[in-house]
Amino acid sequence: MSEVNLSLERAMFSDTTRTTQSQSQSHSAAASALRESESIPLHTAILPQSSPLPIPSPAKLSGAGASPCPIPPCTPEGKPRRPRRPSRTSSIESVQVSEEQRQMLLWTFFASVIPTDLDTLQKEFVRHAEYTCALTRSQLTNFSAFQSLAYCLRDRLIERWKDTETFFSQNDVKQINYMSLEYLMGRSLQNCLTNLKLRKKYSQALLHLGVHLEDLYDQEMDAGLGNGGLGRLAACFLDSLATCDFPGWGYGLRYTYGMFHQSFDPKTGEQVETPDYWLNFGNPWEIQRLDVTYPVRFGGSLREIARSGTGAADYPCRCSWEGGDFAIAVAYDFPVPGYSTFNCLNLRLWSSKPSSEFDLSSFNLGDYFKAIENKQMCENITNVLYPNDNTSMGKALRLKQQHLFVAATLADVLTRFKKRCKPLTELPAYVAIQLNDTHPSLAICEMMRILFDCEGLSWVESWNLTNKIFSYTNHTVLPEALERWPVHMMQKTLPRHMKLVYDINHFFLRYVETVWPDNVEALGKMSIIEENPRMVRMANLALIGSHAINGVAQIHTGLLKDSVFAEFHRLWPQKFFNITNGVTPRRWLLLANPPLAEFISTTLDTRDWLTDMSLLKDLELFAEDEDFCNQWLEIKQWAKKRVAKYLTEHFGIPVDPNALFDVQAKRVHEYKRQLMNVYGIIQRWDWIKSLSVEERARQVVPRVVMICGKAAPGYHTAKLILRLANKVAAVVNKDRDTLDYLKVFVVPNYCVSLAELIMPAADISQHISTAGMEASGTGNMKFALNGGLILGTLDGANIEIRDEIGHENMFVFGALAQQVKDLRLEQISKPCTQDSPALRKVYEHIVSRSSFGESPVFEELVHGTTPPNDHYLITHDFDGYLEANRQVDALFKNKKAWASKSILSTARMGYFSSDRSIKEYASLIWNLSPCRRAGPVRVSLERLATSSAASPTTPTTAPIPIPIPVPTTPMSPMTPPTPPTPMKLHDSETTPRSQSLPSNE
């Protein structure tokens, strides 16, 4: 009696047996019998609890009078026993099923799991190469091999994702919808191979076909869906949501040209922005959903319908939003697998398409540009992340971009909710929406429009539901980053939303007046509408419309409560939370630094630290062990050699991996103080030149400085800082006096894949923002997790990192957040008190001596950092910065002490896991519980058909008798039957995660 593996869940363990020839023949015969409805051979299906067909519980399967349980017993060692061959003389049974059940059985039969044996991996790869990419073996390149492998993995991701969705639906669970304009997902190939635990198997399978897996990694382009820490945090959170088994989706935009591709003019050093053509060759990971589209309206006019309150003239009117222009939001799905779990979530991205592709009448009249004008205007909405808003057209495009995002997302969320057949009043029990920064704040108005205007709920009902659904994460204290839109622009582009803003603001200010009568100052600060000029404050809208607001580091949350949103905190203290950011160790240690991850796993004798970073603390026991320290430094040296090779290849300058690697990798901004780093480089260069040859050899620690990051296209000062950095690098790298002791690289087009290369190699990472201005930062966590020591101010998450790893294991300098305000006032009243002789000498090189050329151009930078204009306190902090660098040099000479601090840095980073962050969001804000999908369960089609026939949901159509015969033809002795793969029935609540999925990494 042969068996095949079937599954609606389709997710199998990695040790699935190969399908033999006899199994394949049996599969075809069974399918034929199912089609003809005459007989069903006894086969085996692998079904989850989420199967649409009723599955007998394990208790029923093994109870009195039931057929034997299909799960074989285990040996004392815990290994499944080999099942006995079924008797060929069994009696013939018959099962009565309806036509619909027969069709369901046939579908189930063909929804076969994709096995993970060597033959299947090779077969699937060749199939996609031949039929998806349309290439023969002789035409295969590394890029097409990458595409073929990506399509193979996508098939498996789709299996897991659809089954996870079915499981969530059947359990009727609450889900989080995470809204973010940025997702820096990076490359997906290695991540998918790791999370599906197929890296070693695919490496072996492809090697037999002449393909080296390692050669395919660099063929993938980074997904152009984000810019900085905001997008990388969102990507980490999606990974953690899936890994921690929380039900949820991510929502974002599919940017055709990303942010931009950064390069530098070789003569001037200026940043050059070109489109990021990341979609030029398609994206094999995404699934275009032409069946999921929503129209989005812009402009138009309003027609009042009726007031929402009975006899209450004070309530707002319902409105009909009419006319205007339309764009169509088309969905693209991007499955996100969890690590060591069968759960797989989804990131849904929206692309803007025209409602009318082509104006034929204009084309026929010879106006060819007008014929495609509407198409171009609509597609522009999602062409680029953060269009330059220095012009009114750029601002309008940003506003349209955000509206399309929120309108399509909320339409989709409500469409999915309505499939539950629940009343809208139960919406908060099943739906939570997290606003990642102020960009999606329009969702507050859009939800009110849908519930109030379209669904007919009263104003009060609509507001209460909206407030219970939304929560808001603030990521900045910078006034310019708290988005504001001109009233006239919103009135023209989104007239209904502008009226809703007025209505919400009206009722809110009336409420504030009842709490604080005659407090005009509070009303002015808390109003959504800012006067002179009239602007819509999107952060205030998010604060009022959300039931929870959180900061992303302790100091950041404190600043929100005490200064930025002080009045709101006084009004609603229960709304404010702190949830410190975190990073995923799967991406930032396992993938970015494989030797270190393997070394840690071997030392701790477990891989469980990948889902519980607190286990890293046991590494502290080895911090003083000399052999362990030496091995730790060897791994660091391996990472540094990789980066040295990259820099030599791309800049043509030899790099010594024994030098100290000093990295500052951040979005370029004045408050992040890349300019202070550049000033420090100039000072170090000048100091080295002042020494004799003997003194240099004795005193100087060779250093390689890397500055990585993009400046926003419209940010003039940030671009000027990069220009100066490039000019300094050009001079320093050609100076024969300092060539052996100092090299400077401004690395272009910094992205996730470059971060994965550079971060493991850093000896020192700089996080030197003006205190109180960085919300959190996650780069500091990634560098520290890889054993890099931090040189920084007490700002953002640096404070909490210091508390965890110890002040003595960081190089700290600079003013404290509580001192910054007084220091700014002091430099205005007494500018001479804040002075640095070392900095004056740096200014001489830039301006007086023109050591780096173009001194008139860079005078603007010098003027901006000279008191009383030094808003970011570079003058005050510069001498402390130089002293911290001298401490770095002194410690680096002592390799043993340096290694010890590096080990402690990694060992004490357990708190900064994105898994911990997500669990805090789930418990404090979302009221969300994990929903872990169990592994496959083996069920015979006989039992499946029997339980289906007995189901109360069986249609009333006439049943079709389906006898289940016993094979009478003797089996060939040359092809003995292969026993079915024993499958364990997993209990998601009692089975430890480490035992649920065998590791084959």
Side-chain angles (χ1 to χ4, degrees), residues 749-793:
N749 207 45
Y750 184 66
C751 56
V752 175
S753 54
L754 265 180
E756 291 172 2
L757 173 72
I758 292 172
M759 285 180 171
D763 294 304
I764 278 290
S765 63
Q766 296 198 29
H767 309 276
I768 55 177
S769 54
T770 308
M773 303 200 71
E774 183 74 83
S776 170
T778 54
N780 43 10
M781 303 172 190
K782 297 163 193 171
F783 281 108
L785 185 61
N786 281 276
L789 302 187
I790 290 176
L791 187 156
T793 53

XYZ file of all heavy atoms in Angstrom, residues 749-793:
316
model
N 26.457 55.204 -1.525
C 25.260 54.360 -1.624
C 25.166 53.329 -0.505
O 24.968 52.139 -0.730
C 25.215 53.647 -2.982
C 23.794 53.326 -3.394
O 22.906 54.169 -3.272
N 23.553 52.117 -3.859
N 25.290 53.822 0.718
C 25.175 52.952 1.886
C 23.784 52.321 1.929
O 22.771 52.989 1.732
C 25.413 53.780 3.145
C 25.414 52.987 4.425
C 26.403 52.048 4.680
C 24.425 53.190 5.383
C 26.413 51.330 5.871
C 24.433 52.492 6.574
C 25.427 51.554 6.813
O 25.431 50.840 7.983
N 23.738 51.019 2.156
C 22.482 50.271 2.138
C 22.603 49.091 3.100
O 23.636 48.909 3.748
C 22.151 49.793 0.725
S 23.475 48.803 -0.032
N 21.584 48.269 3.181
C 21.575 47.162 4.133
C 22.692 46.175 3.849
O 23.399 45.721 4.756
C 20.208 46.453 4.124
C 20.231 45.225 5.033
C 19.111 47.406 4.579
N 22.879 45.829 2.577
C 23.911 44.837 2.257
C 25.305 45.366 2.576
O 26.180 44.604 3.019
C 23.818 44.422 0.775
O 23.862 45.548 -0.067
N 25.535 46.675 2.389
C 26.823 47.252 2.782
C 26.962 47.276 4.303
O 28.043 47.045 4.843
C 26.955 48.669 2.231
C 27.689 48.827 0.892
C 27.732 50.289 0.472
C 29.091 48.259 0.957
N 25.857 47.543 4.992
C 25.894 47.526 6.461
C 26.261 46.136 6.967
O 27.031 45.997 7.931
C 24.540 47.954 7.016
N 25.724 45.099 6.333
C 26.037 43.726 6.738
C 27.513 43.407 6.526
O 28.079 42.567 7.231
C 25.171 42.743 5.964
C 23.699 42.810 6.346
C 22.821 41.967 5.434
O 23.365 41.300 4.538
O 21.596 41.972 5.618
N 28.133 44.078 5.570
C 29.561 43.889 5.321
C 30.400 44.687 6.318
O 31.380 44.157 6.882
C 29.900 44.335 3.889
C 31.385 44.357 3.508
C 31.921 42.937 3.368
C 31.599 45.151 2.225
N 30.038 45.945 6.565
C 30.887 46.866 7.321
C 30.739 46.692 8.826
O 31.740 46.736 9.565
C 30.573 48.316 6.895
C 31.038 48.554 5.448
C 31.233 49.313 7.831
C 30.611 49.888 4.872
N 29.530 46.488 9.311
C 29.314 46.479 10.759
C 30.116 45.411 11.505
O 30.668 45.692 12.574
C 27.822 46.342 11.059
C 27.062 47.633 10.814
S 25.302 47.496 11.162
C 24.818 49.225 11.018
N 30.231 44.182 10.994
C 31.048 43.189 11.711
C 32.520 43.559 11.783
O 33.245 43.038 12.635
C 30.838 41.905 10.893
C 29.549 42.103 10.185
C 29.503 43.561 9.860
N 32.981 44.454 10.895
C 34.406 44.783 10.828
C 34.789 45.982 11.686
O 35.980 46.237 11.892
C 34.792 45.065 9.372
N 33.812 46.716 12.188
C 34.112 47.952 12.907
C 34.741 47.659 14.265
O 34.207 46.872 15.043
C 32.849 48.782 13.076
N 35.865 48.293 14.541
C 36.421 48.271 15.892
C 35.723 49.322 16.752
O 35.404 49.076 17.914
C 37.929 48.555 15.850
C 38.706 47.450 15.158
O 38.588 46.284 15.581
O 39.426 47.756 14.189
N 35.497 50.486 16.152
C 34.817 51.596 16.819
C 33.696 52.083 15.910
O 33.872 52.188 14.692
C 35.800 52.759 17.082
C 36.616 52.487 18.342
C 35.072 54.084 17.247
C 35.815 52.571 19.628
N 32.537 52.358 16.492
C 31.470 53.019 15.730
C 31.120 54.316 16.452
O 31.074 54.364 17.685
C 30.239 52.127 15.624
O 29.669 51.868 16.887
N 30.902 55.359 15.678
C 30.653 56.686 16.252
C 29.157 57.007 16.225
O 28.508 56.938 15.176
C 31.418 57.748 15.470
C 32.929 57.594 15.542
C 33.660 58.863 15.154
O 33.166 59.983 15.331
N 34.866 58.714 14.624
N 28.630 57.385 17.398
C 27.235 57.788 17.554
C 27.261 59.062 18.403
O 27.101 59.020 19.615
C 26.435 56.668 18.216
C 26.629 55.344 17.536
N 25.905 54.963 16.430
C 27.514 54.344 17.771
C 26.323 53.765 16.034
N 27.306 53.380 16.822
N 27.482 60.188 17.724
C 27.943 61.409 18.386
C 26.960 62.561 18.217
O 27.356 63.724 18.171
C 29.335 61.804 17.842
C 29.316 61.941 16.311
C 30.376 60.763 18.240
C 30.645 62.394 15.704
N 25.670 62.248 18.137
C 24.658 63.290 17.973
C 24.624 64.210 19.189
O 25.013 63.828 20.303
C 23.279 62.646 17.774
O 22.995 61.746 18.833
N 24.139 65.425 18.980
C 23.951 66.353 20.090
C 22.953 65.742 21.059
O 21.881 65.282 20.665
C 23.414 67.696 19.575
O 24.257 68.173 18.521
C 23.363 68.720 20.695
N 23.277 65.729 22.337
C 22.442 65.057 23.338
C 21.016 65.598 23.313
O 20.791 66.807 23.229
C 23.046 65.237 24.724
N 20.065 64.672 23.343
C 18.658 65.033 23.351
C 18.041 65.171 21.982
O 16.852 65.507 21.871
N 18.786 64.887 20.922
C 18.254 65.080 19.575
C 18.064 63.773 18.808
O 17.306 63.731 17.838
C 19.155 66.022 18.771
C 19.345 67.374 19.419
S 19.904 68.659 18.285
C 18.456 68.923 17.290
N 18.723 62.713 19.203
C 18.537 61.406 18.569
C 17.465 60.654 19.334
O 17.550 60.500 20.559
C 19.846 60.607 18.594
C 19.776 59.260 17.884
C 19.763 59.392 16.367
O 20.829 59.517 15.768
O 18.636 59.384 15.805
N 16.432 60.173 18.624
C 15.352 59.464 19.298
C 15.879 58.191 19.952
O 15.716 57.962 21.148
C 14.240 59.136 18.312
N 16.504 57.346 19.164
C 17.027 56.093 19.712
C 18.291 55.683 18.965
O 19.377 55.669 19.511
C 15.970 54.987 19.606
O 16.535 53.731 19.908
N 18.108 55.379 17.685
C 19.196 54.797 16.913
C 19.165 53.285 17.076
O 18.891 52.761 18.160
N 19.415 52.578 15.997
C 19.578 51.117 16.075
C 20.934 50.685 15.534
O 21.354 49.563 15.774
C 18.466 50.401 15.289
O 18.430 50.889 13.941
C 17.113 50.613 15.945
N 21.625 51.592 14.834
C 22.972 51.265 14.356
C 23.902 50.965 15.510
O 24.726 50.041 15.442
N 23.772 51.727 16.602
C 24.615 51.474 17.763
C 24.425 50.052 18.288
O 25.376 49.393 18.726
C 24.333 52.506 18.855
C 22.852 52.778 19.060
O 21.992 52.075 18.532
N 22.546 53.801 19.843
N 23.196 49.550 18.249
C 22.910 48.191 18.714
C 23.547 47.147 17.793
O 24.090 46.135 18.264
C 21.397 47.967 18.772
C 20.658 48.958 19.649
S 18.866 48.779 19.494
C 18.312 50.246 20.379
N 23.493 47.387 16.502
C 24.041 46.418 15.541
C 25.564 46.340 15.649
O 26.138 45.245 15.618
C 23.616 46.812 14.122
C 22.122 46.788 13.893
C 21.725 47.556 12.641
C 20.234 47.787 12.585
N 19.824 48.708 11.507
N 26.203 47.501 15.755
C 27.659 47.507 15.909
C 28.065 46.811 17.214
O 28.985 45.984 17.228
C 28.185 48.942 15.915
C 28.308 49.567 14.552
C 27.423 50.562 14.147
C 29.313 49.177 13.675
C 27.537 51.153 12.897
C 29.437 49.763 12.423
C 28.542 50.751 12.031
N 27.392 47.145 18.315
C 27.748 46.561 19.605
C 27.492 45.058 19.626
O 28.257 44.297 20.232
C 26.965 47.248 20.715
N 26.422 44.619 18.978
C 26.116 43.185 18.917
C 27.229 42.422 18.220
O 27.493 41.252 18.537
C 24.785 42.978 18.188
C 24.234 41.560 18.123
C 23.961 41.003 19.511
C 22.966 41.520 17.264
N 27.910 43.065 17.277
C 29.018 42.443 16.554
C 30.369 42.704 17.217
O 31.412 42.470 16.604
C 29.045 42.937 15.106
C 28.022 42.233 14.234
O 28.277 41.151 13.726
N 26.854 42.844 14.078
N 30.356 43.192 18.439
C 31.603 43.372 19.177
C 32.312 44.675 18.917
O 33.473 44.833 19.321
N 31.666 45.623 18.255
C 32.276 46.934 18.050
C 32.035 47.815 19.262
O 30.933 47.843 19.810
N 33.060 48.546 19.690
C 32.900 49.443 20.823
C 32.318 50.779 20.356
O 32.526 51.194 19.217
C 34.236 49.656 21.530
C 34.918 48.386 22.061
C 36.133 48.747 22.895
C 33.948 47.525 22.859
N 31.595 51.426 21.245
C 30.876 52.655 20.901
C 31.634 53.871 21.411
O 32.031 53.932 22.570
C 29.457 52.637 21.499
C 28.597 51.591 20.771
C 28.799 54.013 21.416
C 27.213 51.438 21.351
N 31.829 54.835 20.516
C 32.312 56.163 20.869
C 31.128 57.093 20.666
O 30.657 57.262 19.537
C 33.488 56.572 19.984
C 34.231 57.875 20.332
C 35.652 57.825 19.792
C 33.533 59.115 19.784
N 30.603 57.684 21.766
C 29.400 58.466 21.568
C 29.019 59.338 22.731
O 29.638 59.327 23.802
N 27.973 60.107 22.488
C 27.379 60.958 23.504
C 26.281 60.182 24.227
O 25.847 59.122 23.774
C 26.773 62.205 22.848
O 25.878 61.789 21.802
C 27.852 63.079 22.253
